[in-house]
Amino acid sequence: MLSTSLVALDSTIVATAVPSIVADLGGFAEFPWLFSVYLLAQAVSVPIYGKLADIVGRKPVMLFGIGLFLLGSILCAAAWGMVPLIIFRALQGLGAGAVQPMSVTIAGDIYTLAERAKAQGYLASVWAISAVVGPTLGGVFSEWLTWRWLFIVNIPLCLLAAWMLAGRFQEKVHRVHHRIDYLGSVTLTVGATLLILGLLEGGQAWAWNSVPSIAVLGGGVLLLAVFLIAQRWAAEPVLPLWVFSRRVLVASAVIGVLVGAVLLGLTTYVPTFAQTVLGTGPLVAGFALAALTIGWPISATLSGRLYLRLGFRTTALIGATLAIAGALLTVRLTAASAVWQVGACCFLIGLGMGLIASPSLIAAQSSVGWAERGVVTGTNMFARSLGSAVGVAFFGALANVSLGATANAADNPAGVAAATHDVFVAIAVLAAGLFAAAWLLPAGRPTAQAASADPSADRAGTAPAGDHTARSVAD
């Protein structure tokens, strides 16, 4: 939870201080890269860290990620210009790419199937707290101290998380000789970087049909094609293709993509709707959105009881139904709606997300052994990041079409109302996609043996291809 707080707090604390950063360093045109480069570095590094965790263990990868995040935070606090700050944010993103999936992977390692939902709920609660604390701290630091405290505050948190992890978490890794997949690592990293970069900046930094857009997206697709070919012949592929041949893993990845897209759509357009259409202040709009991350950990914590009684599929279908209901209610929001109604919609969607995201991830983790769990978790996190990038591009293009057809100005309430309505309709469609993907999850209840199995018995070298827990859940 301490390690997760680094990523969660950093994702919410910076946005409120952008005016102060720009006033001090300049570079108004470049400040969106503070977020894009962080997301990009985090997304493309996740699969690499997932494979490394299966080779050397979770602990060294997590400590390395915390160290990178600490170094990036120190350098960000000392940044002398917008360009250096953007570069140092990329370093933070590389650290976050290790911290977030390792937290989830470690929880999958040390808790039984019956306990994992509660552990995932605790991790999700960190995001709920950060959704409220982050913007508040960002405002306090930028107004009363200096924006550099946004990054200075990470220093004690990094040190405390590393100290706790070093002293409290013990793991035994069966050391064997491994052959590193250099070609796969390079083509995956560069190809994913170009693809996500093209999705993030398309329609903003350059037109979709421009030469830069075609070159970036085309280069990314080409390198990813080379990556897939290389994985067929690699002795130890960085992202084994069997991940895409198992139904439960494919379902978990698809759900991850859709969850990432829905989250980005809500976090981007709910505050805009609340402020521009309803006329609320930034703080009230932030609290309306925070209802999403409050409902999520509540249902994620309770999901363990449900999937032990009803099964992964039924639990996820219940969650998808709640998400669809919340999304349909957002479609009905108008300029006459109250801000509490916006918060209620977000809370309902959050409840649904907790009941589908956590069980789908736990089902995927439980279908493999220790030696494959890092790759599976990393793939799920990468899918969510990819969904976020695709969602940014898709919702942005959709909103621009609506704004162009109405007022062609983002500061016009009528234009923003029409644009956000279209985005909310698209979110409802994606929520329906979550319902369809949930049908691919395993049916039936996990066996009692699987639910209470000791995770400590599942270690590299003893169950490299999946343990009895994995098989009972998969069947």
Side-chain angles (χ1 to χ4, degrees), residues 28 30 66 82 99 101 121 128 159 220 227 257 308 311 336 352 364 371 399-400 410 416 418 432 435 462:
F28 178 80
E30 293 82 17
I66 293 174
M82 183 61 73
V99 171
L159 295 175
F227 162 75
V257 170
L308 289 177
N400 288 336
V416 173
F435 189 89
T462 59

Short mmCIF file of all heavy atoms in Angstrom, two decimals, residues 28 30 66 82 99 101 121 128 159 220 227 257 308 311 336 352 364 371 399-400 410 416 418 432 435 462:
data_model
loop_
_atom_site.label_atom_id
_atom_site.label_comp_id
_atom_site.label_asym_id
_atom_site.label_seq_id
_atom_site.Cartn_x
_atom_site.Cartn_y
_atom_site.Cartn_z
N PHE A 28 4.13 26.75 -21.56
CA PHE A 28 2.71 26.40 -21.53
C PHE A 28 2.35 25.38 -22.61
O PHE A 28 1.55 24.48 -22.39
CB PHE A 28 1.86 27.67 -21.70
CG PHE A 28 0.38 27.41 -21.72
CD1 PHE A 28 -0.30 27.22 -20.53
CD2 PHE A 28 -0.32 27.33 -22.91
CE1 PHE A 28 -1.67 26.97 -20.53
CE2 PHE A 28 -1.67 27.08 -22.92
CZ PHE A 28 -2.36 26.91 -21.73
N GLU A 30 4.15 23.04 -23.77
CA GLU A 30 4.73 21.71 -23.54
C GLU A 30 4.17 21.01 -22.30
O GLU A 30 4.42 19.82 -22.10
CB GLU A 30 6.25 21.82 -23.38
CG GLU A 30 7.00 22.23 -24.64
CD GLU A 30 6.98 23.73 -24.87
OE1 GLU A 30 6.67 24.45 -23.89
OE2 GLU A 30 7.24 24.18 -25.99
N ILE A 66 11.12 1.60 -7.02
CA ILE A 66 11.05 2.65 -6.00
C ILE A 66 12.26 3.56 -6.10
O ILE A 66 12.16 4.79 -5.97
CB ILE A 66 10.94 2.03 -4.59
CG1 ILE A 66 9.59 1.30 -4.44
CG2 ILE A 66 11.09 3.10 -3.51
CD1 ILE A 66 9.45 0.54 -3.14
N MET A 82 11.01 23.56 -18.20
CA MET A 82 9.94 22.62 -18.51
C MET A 82 10.47 21.36 -19.19
O MET A 82 10.03 20.25 -18.89
CB MET A 82 8.90 23.31 -19.41
CG MET A 82 7.70 22.43 -19.74
SD MET A 82 6.75 21.91 -18.27
CE MET A 82 5.94 23.46 -17.86
N VAL A 99 6.48 -0.35 -9.97
CA VAL A 99 5.81 -0.34 -8.66
C VAL A 99 4.38 -0.85 -8.75
O VAL A 99 3.96 -1.72 -7.97
CB VAL A 99 5.83 1.09 -8.08
CG1 VAL A 99 4.94 1.17 -6.84
CG2 VAL A 99 7.25 1.50 -7.72
N PRO A 101 2.52 -2.79 -11.05
CA PRO A 101 2.25 -4.23 -11.26
C PRO A 101 2.87 -5.11 -10.19
O PRO A 101 2.31 -6.16 -9.87
CB PRO A 101 2.86 -4.51 -12.63
CG PRO A 101 3.89 -3.45 -12.82
CD PRO A 101 3.35 -2.24 -12.13
N GLY A 121 -8.66 -4.87 -2.49
CA GLY A 121 -9.47 -3.76 -1.99
C GLY A 121 -8.64 -2.76 -1.21
O GLY A 121 -8.84 -1.54 -1.32
N ALA A 128 -8.41 5.64 -3.74
CA ALA A 128 -9.54 6.44 -3.26
C ALA A 128 -9.06 7.57 -2.36
O ALA A 128 -9.50 8.72 -2.48
CB ALA A 128 -10.53 5.55 -2.51
N LEU A 159 11.38 6.28 0.72
CA LEU A 159 12.29 5.69 1.70
C LEU A 159 11.55 4.77 2.65
O LEU A 159 12.03 3.68 2.99
CB LEU A 159 13.00 6.80 2.47
CG LEU A 159 13.95 7.69 1.64
CD1 LEU A 159 14.50 8.82 2.50
CD2 LEU A 159 15.08 6.87 1.04
N GLY A 220 5.10 2.00 -35.20
CA GLY A 220 4.74 1.22 -34.02
C GLY A 220 4.12 -0.12 -34.38
O GLY A 220 4.48 -1.16 -33.81
N PHE A 227 7.95 -7.88 -33.26
CA PHE A 227 7.98 -8.42 -31.90
C PHE A 227 7.23 -9.75 -31.83
O PHE A 227 7.71 -10.73 -31.24
CB PHE A 227 7.36 -7.41 -30.94
CG PHE A 227 6.94 -7.98 -29.63
CD1 PHE A 227 7.89 -8.30 -28.66
CD2 PHE A 227 5.61 -8.23 -29.35
CE1 PHE A 227 7.50 -8.85 -27.45
CE2 PHE A 227 5.22 -8.77 -28.14
CZ PHE A 227 6.17 -9.08 -27.19
N VAL A 257 -8.35 -3.48 -20.99
CA VAL A 257 -8.41 -2.43 -22.00
C VAL A 257 -9.66 -1.57 -21.82
O VAL A 257 -9.60 -0.33 -21.83
CB VAL A 257 -8.39 -3.05 -23.42
CG1 VAL A 257 -8.70 -1.99 -24.47
CG2 VAL A 257 -7.03 -3.67 -23.70
N LEU A 308 -16.23 -16.37 -4.37
CA LEU A 308 -16.13 -17.67 -3.71
C LEU A 308 -17.49 -18.38 -3.67
O LEU A 308 -17.56 -19.61 -3.67
CB LEU A 308 -15.58 -17.51 -2.30
CG LEU A 308 -14.10 -17.13 -2.20
CD1 LEU A 308 -13.71 -16.93 -0.73
CD2 LEU A 308 -13.21 -18.20 -2.84
N GLY A 311 -18.73 -17.49 -8.14
CA GLY A 311 -17.78 -17.70 -9.23
C GLY A 311 -17.32 -16.38 -9.83
O GLY A 311 -17.94 -15.33 -9.64
N ALA A 336 -29.37 20.89 -16.10
CA ALA A 336 -30.24 21.07 -14.94
C ALA A 336 -29.94 20.06 -13.83
O ALA A 336 -30.55 20.13 -12.75
CB ALA A 336 -31.71 20.95 -15.37
N GLY A 352 -19.33 -1.02 -9.77
CA GLY A 352 -19.27 -2.03 -10.83
C GLY A 352 -17.85 -2.38 -11.21
O GLY A 352 -17.52 -3.56 -11.42
N ALA A 364 -7.09 -14.41 -13.55
CA ALA A 364 -5.92 -14.57 -14.41
C ALA A 364 -4.71 -15.00 -13.60
O ALA A 364 -3.96 -15.91 -13.98
CB ALA A 364 -5.63 -13.27 -15.15
N ALA A 371 5.96 -18.72 -11.43
CA ALA A 371 6.92 -18.38 -12.48
C ALA A 371 6.28 -17.68 -13.67
O ALA A 371 6.99 -17.20 -14.55
CB ALA A 371 7.64 -19.64 -12.96
N ALA A 399 -15.30 14.13 -28.87
CA ALA A 399 -15.67 15.42 -28.31
C ALA A 399 -15.42 16.55 -29.29
O ALA A 399 -16.22 17.49 -29.40
CB ALA A 399 -14.90 15.66 -27.01
N ASN A 400 -14.33 16.47 -30.03
CA ASN A 400 -14.01 17.53 -31.00
C ASN A 400 -15.05 17.59 -32.11
O ASN A 400 -15.40 18.67 -32.60
CB ASN A 400 -12.62 17.30 -31.60
CG ASN A 400 -11.52 17.60 -30.61
OD1 ASN A 400 -11.71 18.37 -29.67
ND2 ASN A 400 -10.36 16.98 -30.79
N ALA A 410 -14.49 25.21 -26.64
CA ALA A 410 -14.59 24.37 -25.45
C ALA A 410 -15.16 25.12 -24.26
O ALA A 410 -15.62 24.50 -23.30
CB ALA A 410 -13.20 23.81 -25.09
N VAL A 416 -19.92 22.04 -24.75
CA VAL A 416 -19.34 21.06 -23.83
C VAL A 416 -20.41 20.05 -23.40
O VAL A 416 -20.13 18.85 -23.26
CB VAL A 416 -18.72 21.76 -22.61
CG1 VAL A 416 -18.28 20.75 -21.57
CG2 VAL A 416 -17.55 22.62 -23.05
N ALA A 418 -22.97 19.00 -25.15
CA ALA A 418 -23.16 18.05 -26.26
C ALA A 418 -21.99 17.08 -26.37
O ALA A 418 -22.18 15.88 -26.60
CB ALA A 418 -23.34 18.82 -27.57
N ALA A 432 -21.02 -1.96 -21.86
CA ALA A 432 -21.68 -3.15 -22.43
C ALA A 432 -20.63 -4.15 -22.92
O ALA A 432 -20.81 -5.37 -22.82
CB ALA A 432 -22.61 -2.75 -23.56
N PHE A 435 -19.52 -6.28 -20.13
CA PHE A 435 -20.47 -7.37 -19.87
C PHE A 435 -20.20 -8.55 -20.79
O PHE A 435 -20.21 -9.71 -20.36
CB PHE A 435 -21.90 -6.85 -20.06
CG PHE A 435 -22.96 -7.81 -19.61
CD1 PHE A 435 -23.43 -7.79 -18.31
CD2 PHE A 435 -23.51 -8.74 -20.49
CE1 PHE A 435 -24.41 -8.69 -17.89
CE2 PHE A 435 -24.47 -9.63 -20.08
CZ PHE A 435 -24.94 -9.61 -18.78
N THR A 462 9.11 -25.06 -8.31
CA THR A 462 8.24 -26.10 -7.78
C THR A 462 6.96 -26.23 -8.59
O THR A 462 6.39 -27.30 -8.66
CB THR A 462 7.87 -25.80 -6.32
OG1 THR A 462 7.21 -24.52 -6.27
CG2 THR A 462 9.11 -25.75 -5.46
#
